[in-house]
Amino acid sequence: MKIIVLPGDGIGPETMAVAVDVLQAASERFGLGLQLDFDVAGHDSLKQHGATVTPALLDKVKAADGLMLGPMATFEFKDASRGEINPSMWFRKHLDLHANIRPARTYPGMQARLGEFDLVVVRENTEGFYADRNVESGGSEMLITPDVVVSLRRITRLCCERIARSAFELAMTRKKHVTIVHKANVLKLGDGMFIDTCREVGKAFPEVTIDDVIVDAMMAHVVRAPQRYDVIVTTNMFGDILSDLTAELSGSLGLGGSLNAGRDYAMGQAAHGSAPDIAGQNIANPASLILSAAMLLNWHGNKRGDARFQQAAAAIEATLADTIAAHECTRDVGGTLGTREAGAAFLKRLTAR
Ligand code: ATP
C-alpha cells in the first residue's frame, strides 16, 4: 500500500511525525509493506510551487492507494487566483471523497463528563454550504454589492443517496440505528430532499431503525445524552460543526480522527484544524491523526479484502485506548506527556501487542 503523506501547517508536522511512526510500526508488526511517500501541501507548497496544491500532486495521489493530509491553515488561504487553494476542498472535490466519517467515543481512564458514548458522524463532503466545491468553475459565493453576499447551498439527490448509503452500511456494522440531522423546517426543499432520500435508502436496510432531529435541537440532545446516538448522517456544514462538538464531548478535539472516503480513493485527516495557538509547542494530541491513519488502513483492508490491514487498524485503536487508560497521553486527554513522548509511549505498546 502506497500512502502519500502531506504533513500540513500549524500542528501538522509534529502530529503527522507521530502518525507516520505508528504507520511504520504497524507495517512491520502486521507485514503490510507500507510505502510512505512524503510531499508538501499548504504553506510549504505555496512557497515551493506557488500554490498550496498542484495538479502534479493530485496525479501522484491518484496513482497511490491512500492519502494522509495534515491540518491546513485554510483560514489563511483567501485568494485562489494566487495559489491559495483550500487543500481539503481540492482533494475532496477532485477525488470525489463523498463521505467524511468522524467517530467520537469516550475512553476508560478519562473523565466522561456526559457518561460513556460511542457514535459516528457521517457527513456529506462534496456540496452543501461549501461554496468552494459547488460549481464547475467560478464560485458559488458572490459579492452582489459591497454590502451584499449570496452564498449558494447545493443539495443533489445523488449526493444524498450516496451519503445515506454510507451511513446505513456503517450502521449495519454497529448498533443498527441512523439519526438524520437536518433543518427541513426552514430549508424545506434541500433538507426535505435529504430526509426523504435517506429514508428511501433506509428501506434497503430494514434492520436499521431511523429517526430524524433538527440540527439546532440536536446540539442540545447530543450534549444532554450522547449515548442515544449511533450513526448520525447529515449535510456538509452541519456535519462539520456537529463533529467538532462530538469530538470535544468525547474529551478533546485532539481525539477527532476522520476519514474522507469515496469509491476509489480515501484520505485520512484529523477533524480539527491547524491549531496555531499550540503549534510548535510539543503539546498537540497526535491521536486524531493516529486514528485517521487507522481508518485509512481499515478502508484499504476492506477494499482489498486483506485482513492484515483491518487487524492493524484494530490494534492501533486498541493501543490508543490502552495509552489513555494508562495516562500515557497528552494533557488535553488527562496525561502529562508531550506530543513526541506520547508518540513514543504509543509505539512501545503497539510493538509489544
Ligand atoms: P484553523 O484556523 O486551522 O481551523 P483553529 O485553531 O481555528 O485552526 P482548530 O485547529 O480546529 O481550529 O482548533 C480549535 C481548538 O482545539 C484550539 O484551541 C486548539 O488548540 C484545539 N486543538 C485542536 N487540535 C488539537 C490537538 N490535536 N490537540 C490538542 N488541542 C487541539
Side-chain angles (χ1 to χ4, degrees), residues 24-352:
Q24 276 162 343
S27 180
E28 268 178 47
R29 169 75 181 72
F30 292 91
L32 307 182
L34 289 187
Q35 255 181 285
L36 302 182
D37 187 345
F38 294 82
D39 213 313
V40 288
H43 274 300
D44 286 348
S45 177
L46 195 57
K47 269 184 235 141
Q48 285 180 37
H49 307 298
T52 51
V53 276
T54 61
L57 178 61
L58 184 64
D59 288 344
K60 197 169 158 177
V61 169
K62 283 184 174 171
D65 300 298
L67 168 64
M68 282 296 296
L69 181 69
M72 294 287 149
T74 310
F75 197 67
E76 290 164 22
F77 304 144
K78 295 190 161 67
D79 187 352
S81 69
R82 293 158 54 129
E84 297 172 2
I85 299 158
N86 171 0
S88 295
M89 172 282 293
W90 171 264
F91 290 116
R92 288 170 184 176
K93 183 172 172 174
H94 293 291
L95 301 176
D96 202 19
L97 306 174
H98 73 271
N100 188 197
I101 314 288
R102 294 184 160 187
R105 56 160 285 201
T106 48
Y107 290 88
M110 270 177 71
Q111 198 198 351
R113 283 167 292 179
L114 303 171
E116 291 174 14
F117 70 89
D118 182 349
L119 57 79
V120 184
V121 176
V122 177
R123 162 198 179 197
E124 204 290 324
N125 220 12
T126 51
E127 56 174 18
F129 255 129
Y130 282 66
D132 56 359
R133 65 206 66 169
N134 271 345
V135 290
E136 183 61 34
S137 70
S140 56
E141 197 168 37
M142 289 154 281
L143 191 63
I144 308 293
T145 75
D147 301 316
V148 178
V149 173
V150 171
S151 310
L152 292 180
R153 176 179 189 255
R154 188 185 74 176
I155 301 288
T156 61
R157 201 174 293 281
L158 170 73
C159 292
C160 296
E161 259 167 31
R162 57 188 192 170
I163 197 63
R165 192 161 300 282
S166 297
F168 281 98
E169 284 170 1
L170 180 64
M172 288 299 289
T173 68
R174 295 175 51 95
K175 291 189 216 139
K176 299 190 174 65
H177 185 73
V178 169
T179 302
I180 305 163
V181 170
H182 62 90
K183 189 71 184 172
N185 53 334
V186 174
L187 299 165
K188 292 183 196 294
L189 296 179
D191 275 8
M193 186 165 76
F194 183 69
I195 298 183
D196 290 348
T197 310
C198 287
R199 288 197 177 271
E200 193 58 37
V201 169
K203 287 182 184 161
F205 301 85
E207 289 168 64
V208 180
T209 52
I210 307 172
D211 62 355
D212 66 76
V213 184
I214 294 175
V215 64
D216 42 337
M218 185 66 181
M219 297 297 139
H221 287 306
V222 82
V223 169
R224 200 179 297 151
Q227 41 289 122
R228 275 175 56 181
Y229 301 99
D230 181 33
V231 173
I232 300 166
V233 64
T234 189
T235 50
N236 199 340
M237 190 173 287
F238 296 159
D240 193 19
I241 298 167
L242 178 59
S243 59
D244 264 28
L245 176 65
T246 52
E248 188 63 30
L249 292 179
S250 80
S252 168
L253 201 44
L255 291 173
S258 96
L259 186 75
N260 301 264
R263 203 192 58 190
D264 301 320
Y265 304 104
M267 170 172 93
Q269 180 191 23
H272 56 72
S274 61
D277 54 334
I278 56 168
Q281 298 172 38
N282 193 40
I283 55 174
N285 191 342
S288 43
L289 272 181
I290 293 174
L291 280 174
S292 307
M295 293 175 80
L296 183 60
L297 294 182
N298 195 50
W299 178 85
H300 185 74
N302 289 339
K303 190 173 172 219
R304 294 287 164 96
D306 190 334
R308 291 171 306 164
F309 288 87
Q310 291 147 338
Q311 285 159 5
I316 293 171
E317 285 167 14
T319 303
L320 181 65
D322 290 349
T323 54
I324 291 175
H327 303 294
E328 293 170 1
C329 47
T330 48
R331 273 181 269 168
D332 57 313
V333 285
T336 54
L337 302 180
T339 311
R340 281 189 297 276
E341 294 72 21
F346 192 100
L347 286 182
K348 204 169 160 194
R349 284 186 181 270
L350 180 64
T351 45

